[in-house]
Amino acid sequence: MKARGKAWKYGDNVDTDVIIPARYLNVSEPAELARHCMEDLDPGFTRAVVEGKIRGDIVVAGSNFGCGSSREHAPIALKASGISCIIAKSFARIFFRNCINIGLPIIECPEAADGIDAGHLVEVDTDAGLIRDLDAGTEWKSRGYPEFLEGIIRAGGLVEYAKSILNKP
Amino acid sequence: MPSKPMTMAQKLLAAHCGREYVSPGEFVMARVDLVLANDITAPIAVREFRRIGAKRVFDPSRIALVPDHFIPQKDIKSAEQAKAMREFAAEQSIVNYFEVGRSGIEHALLPEKGLVCPGDLVVGADSHTCTYGAIGAFATGVGSTDAAFAMALGKTWFKVPESFKVTLTGKTRPYVTGKDVILHLIGKIGVDGATYKALEFSGPGLDGLSMDSRFAMANMAVEAGAKAGLFPVDEICLRYIAARPLGSRAAGWLASSAAAAGGSHISADTGASYQQSVEIALEDVELLVALPHSPANVRPAREVRGVAINQCILGSCTNGRLEDLRMAAAVLDGCSVHPAVRMIVIPATQDIYLQALKEGLIEKFIRAGAAVSTPTCGPCLGGHMGVLAAGERAVSTTNRNFVGRMGHVESEVYLCGPAVAAASAVLGRIATPEEVVG
C-alpha cells in the first residue's frame, strides 16, 4: 500500500466519541458519517472533509488512538473522509481491529508519530516498510503486520476474507 | 491434562479452537457461543452480513439482538435502525430479540436471561461486551463487520492476549462497590494500562464481591484498554447461575457441568504466566470519582466535594442493577433531590425495574424527586433521556466521560458509584453518603 498526503496531527487518547459523536450514530452511511468526522475535536478537519479537500491525507496521532467505543462508525467516518491511512504511537484494540476489517490502513510507529510535523507532506509505503516526512526530509522504518493480519488485508478486508472461506470448494 | 499451565484467557480460547494449549500472541480462529448487536451496531452488521453473501446466520439460537441505545426510538433515523434490526431478527428466526417493554440494556439483560454461560466465548458489537467476564466467559467487544463475520460463520479470529493479574485482598469499606474498585485500578494503570490484555481478577477479596460488583468491574475492563475482564467461576458465580431461568442455556450448563470432568469451577491453572500483576487491598479503596474527561482521572470523592452538579444519572450496563438501585435508595431515603439537580434513574432491565418496584425503591426515588425511566442506554452516550447543555455537569454511574460524551462539548461528566451519585443528587454537589445519611 502506498499513500501520500498532508499530515493532520493529534495527541494521545483521541477517543471514538470525538472521531464520531454519538449523536450521529443514528446513521450508517459512510458519506454522511464523514461529514461529521472529528467535529468536536477539530472543526477545521471536518470543514476540509465537507469541502472535499482531504484527498489521501494522513492522520498522525499519539498513543491509544481510537479508544472508547467499538463503534465501527469511527473508522468508517475516517475512511470515507478521504484519509488514506493513520499513523499513531499506539492504537486501542477494537479500533485497530475495525480498521483492519474495513481496509483502512493503520501503522503503529511511535518514532514517525512523534517526528512528523503537522501539515507536512507525508509518504507511506507499507511494502517497503517506510514512512517519510517529505517536507522535513526525514524517514522512519515501519514494521509489517503479523502474517495472519496480512492475509485479511491482502484479501481486501474481513468481508472479502469471509467470502473466500464461504466459497471454498 | 493441559501441556502447560494456562491463564483463564488461554484456557477459554484453547477450548474454543480445539487445542490443548495456546500461546499469547498466537492468532487462532475460535468458535463463538454467542454474537450480540444492538440498535446502533446491528444495521451495519446486517449490511456487511449481506455483502459477505451469507443467507442464514450460523445458528439463530446463538445470536442476540437488543434494542437499547437510542430506544425507545428517539427519532425517525433511530426508528429506522431499530426496524432494520427487528426485520433481520424475524427474517433469520432469531428468538433472542427483545422488544421494547420486554427488554433491557444488553449487558444486564443477557446474563439475567441465562443466555451467557461460564466458559463461553462471546463477541458483541458493543465495547462493554467484556461485562460477561464476570461469569467466567471470554467476552469481548468487536465492530459490526466482526459481528457479521461471526453471525455468518459461527467463529472469528483472535490474537491470544497476554494476561494481567489483579489480586484482590481484604474487604471493601461501607458504600464502596465494584465500581470504585475498577475506578481505582483504571486510575492506577491508565486508559491504556491493559491494552490488548485480559484482566484476570483473583484472590481472597473476591469472596466479598457480589455479582453486581463483578459485573461493574468486568464492564469497565475496556476502559483500561483490556480485551477481557475475567473472574473465576466460584460459589458466588454458581449461585447466580443457579438462579437463572429454567430452560435457559445457563441452567442447562449448570446441570451438565456438575457432572463434567472439570466440574463447574473455572479458573486459571496454578503456575500460569502473567505479563503483569497488581494487588489491590480492598480496604484501601475509597469512594472514588473519575473527573472529566477520562475514566482514568480518578480522585477520592471527598477531595472533590463541593463541585456543583446539574444532573445525576443512576443506571447503565455498569450500575443499573438491583444492588445499585438499593444502595442509592438507601442513601436518598427521607431526603429530596436538590432543587437544581435533575436525577434520572434507569433500571437496567424490566425484571430489575419490577423488583425495584416491589421493594419500594421506585417510590422512594419518585418521592425524592427523581425521574424514573424505562431501561435504556440513553444518556450514557449523550443519546437521549438526559443530554447535557453547555456548561452543565453530571455525576453518573455510567462508564465514560470523554469530551462531549453526555452532550455538549462544554459539558462535564463525573463518573462514580451509586452511593456517591445519590448523595450528590441530594446536596447538589459532589458528596459522600455520610454527609447525607449522617
Side-chain angles (χ1 to χ4, degrees), chain A residues 90-112:
Chain A
S90 65
F91 291 91
R93 76 152 275 275
I94 307 177
F95 183 86
F96 183 90
R97 197 181 162 106
N98 281 342
C99 287
I100 300 272
N101 288 341
I102 70 166
L104 173 59
I106 61 253
I107 303 163
E108 202 168 275
C109 183
E111 301 78 23

Side-chain angles (χ1 to χ4, degrees), chain B residues 220-260:
Chain B
M220 287 187 70
V222 64
E223 308 312 332
K227 193 158 177 156
L230 301 168
F231 281 79
V233 179
D234 59 7
E235 286 306 311
I236 292 175
C237 177
L238 291 173
R239 271 201 294 276
Y240 176 84
I241 299 295
R244 297 309 99 218
L246 273 172
S248 66
R249 272 193 70 228
W253 173 87
L254 193 58
S256 64
S257 69

Side-chain angles (χ1 to χ4, degrees), chain A residues 22 28 68 72 93 97 101 163, chain B residues 51 140 144-146 157 381:
Chain A
S28 55
E72 200 162 294
R93 76 152 275 275
R97 197 181 162 106
N101 288 341
K163 281 181 186 165
Chain B
R51 281 211 311 131
T140 194
S144 299
T145 298
D146 258 313
W157 66 270
L381 69 159

Side-chain angles (χ1 to χ4, degrees), chain B residues 107-121:
Chain B
H107 308 308
L109 184 70
L110 300 191
E112 182 187 273
K113 297 282 182 200
L115 274 162
V116 188
C117 305
D120 266 358
L121 182 53

Side-chain angles (χ1 to χ4, degrees), chain A residues 13 15-18 22-30 32-33 40 63-64 67-73 76 90-94 96-98 100-102 108 146-149 152 158-163 165-167, chain B residues 27 29 40-41 43-44 47-48 51-54 70 74-75 77-78 81 125-127 140-146 149 152-153 155-158 191-192 195-196 222-223 225-227 381-382 400 402-405 407 409:
Chain A
N13 302 317
D15 66 88
T16 48
D17 280 283
V18 296
R23 57 189 181 274
Y24 301 114
L25 295 182
N26 55 4
V27 299
S28 55
E29 291 77 45
E32 175 71 39
L33 291 168
D40 288 350
S63 60
N64 208 22
C67 63
S69 169
S70 65
R71 62 188 72 155
E72 200 162 294
H73 308 68
I76 288 173
S90 65
F91 291 91
R93 76 152 275 275
I94 307 177
F96 183 90
R97 197 181 162 106
N98 281 342
I100 300 272
N101 288 341
I102 70 166
E108 202 168 275
E147 201 187 306
F148 182 83
L149 296 185
I152 296 178
L158 195 67
V159 168
E160 279 65 31
Y161 183 75
K163 281 181 186 165
I165 296 177
L166 281 173
N167 297 332
Chain B
F27 285 87
M29 187 66 87
I40 59 167
T41 57
I44 295 178
R47 184 173 76 202
E48 298 309 292
R51 281 211 311 131
I52 286 172
F70 289 166
K74 78 173 180 82
D75 50 41
K77 286 177 179 170
S78 303
Q81 295 204 144
D126 187 86
S127 58
T140 194
V142 295
S144 299
T145 298
D146 258 313
F149 186 96
L153 289 142
K155 58 187 177 182
T156 190
W157 66 270
F158 294 91
V191 289
D192 54 0
T195 299
Y196 291 98
V222 64
E223 308 312 332
K227 193 158 177 156
L381 69 159
R400 283 195 191 119
F402 299 125
V403 169
R405 175 72 181 176
V409 292

Side-chain angles (χ1 to χ4, degrees), chain A residues 29-95:
Chain A
E29 291 77 45
E32 175 71 39
L33 291 168
R35 277 195 281 282
H36 301 287
C37 188
M38 305 290 245
E39 193 174 279
D40 288 350
L41 179 65
D42 183 1
F45 178 92
T46 323
R47 212 166 25 246
V49 174
V50 169
E51 290 167 3
K53 292 185 176 155
I54 305 274
R55 267 160 292 185
D57 285 351
I58 295 169
V59 165
V60 179
S63 60
N64 208 22
F65 186 84
C67 63
S69 169
S70 65
R71 62 188 72 155
E72 200 162 294
H73 308 68
I76 288 173
L78 281 164
K79 187 176 181 192
S81 71
I83 287 293
S84 61
C85 73
I86 307 173
I87 300 168
K89 272 195 186 159
S90 65
F91 291 91
R93 76 152 275 275
I94 307 177
F95 183 86

Side-chain angles (χ1 to χ4, degrees), chain B residues 329-366:
Chain B
V331 171
L332 264 177
D333 200 12
C335 305
S336 295
V337 174
H338 190 279
V341 174
R342 311 172 304 265
M343 180 169 182
I344 303 163
V345 178
I346 313 175
T349 68
Q350 289 285 65
D351 279 4
I352 292 169
Y353 199 153
L354 206 49
Q355 185 59 30
L357 261 166
K358 287 183 185 160
E359 292 182 17
L361 310 180
I362 305 296
E363 182 171 343
K364 284 196 172 132
F365 291 129
I366 294 175

